[in-house]
Amino acid sequence: MKTAQVEFLLFALSGVAGFVVDASILYGLTRFLQYGPILAQILAFSMAVTVTWLINRRITFAHKASPDWMKEWSRFVAANSIGAFVNNGVYVALVLTTQTFHDQPVLAVVMGSLAGLGFNFAATRAWVFGTR
């Protein structure tokens, strides 16, 4: 049985892999295939969230994986979509309400990313892989 700290580290590493997939697909679709940035991001996010789900299903939470993989994947997508709103909501709130974050928006990105990571981990651990 993995500890919560190990699960968190593995979850964060799967997020790094997801970022690489997301950014690579987005770049390829917009740069080489001339997709618009919105459609490209929808496709890239879809692939990235599926890759991170697979990593988490097979490595991070393998001992909690459900035989109903479609329900599990759907919950993962839902949880991580809400997490994206948390991430961006924190970013927007900080940039609009705090001069330091307005002047240094990269700091707001960091805070939003941390909030999103925390939300996604908690939701994934409890709701996606904690239901068995």
Side-chain angles (χ1 to χ4, degrees), residues 21 25 50 57 61 64 97 106 109 113 119:
V21 169
I25 291 173
T50 299
R57 177 178 173 77
F61 300 108
K64 299 177 182 179
T97 62
V106 171
V109 168
S113 295
F119 176 87

Side-chain angles (χ1 to χ4, degrees), residues 91 94-95 98-109 111:
Y91 171 83
L94 290 173
V95 167
T98 308
Q99 191 63 44
T100 300
F101 290 108
H102 183 271
D103 294 343
Q104 300 292 325
V106 171
L107 296 176
V109 168
M111 299 305 290

Side-chain angles (χ1 to χ4, degrees), residues 3-132:
T3 65
Q5 292 85 358
V6 170
E7 287 177 344
F8 182 79
L9 177 61
L10 293 171
F11 185 84
L13 290 173
S14 78
V16 171
F19 172 79
V20 170
V21 169
D22 192 357
S24 299
I25 291 173
L26 178 67
Y27 181 78
L29 290 175
T30 56
R31 173 85 170 148
F32 301 113
L33 298 178
Q34 307 304 309
Y35 278 57
I38 303 302
L39 177 58
Q41 179 54 30
I42 291 168
L43 297 172
F45 175 80
S46 299
M47 292 302 299
V49 77
T50 299
V51 166
T52 57
W53 166 70
L54 284 169
I55 292 169
N56 284 302
R57 177 178 173 77
R58 303 213 184 238
I59 298 172
T60 309
F61 300 108
H63 58 291
K64 299 177 182 179
S66 170
D68 188 352
W69 64 268
M70 182 59 92
K71 183 176 181 181
E72 184 182 272
W73 176 82
S74 298
R75 285 183 173 189
F76 189 81
V77 170
N80 283 264
S81 294
I82 295 167
F85 281 110
V86 169
N87 179 335
N88 290 306
V90 167
Y91 171 83
V92 168
L94 290 173
V95 167
L96 293 179
T97 62
T98 308
Q99 191 63 44
T100 300
F101 290 108
H102 183 271
D103 294 343
Q104 300 292 325
V106 171
L107 296 176
V109 168
V110 170
M111 299 305 290
S113 295
L114 290 173
L117 173 63
F119 176 87
N120 284 341
F121 176 71
T124 297
R125 190 167 194 257
W127 187 51
V128 179
F129 291 104
T131 58
R132 285 198 67 190

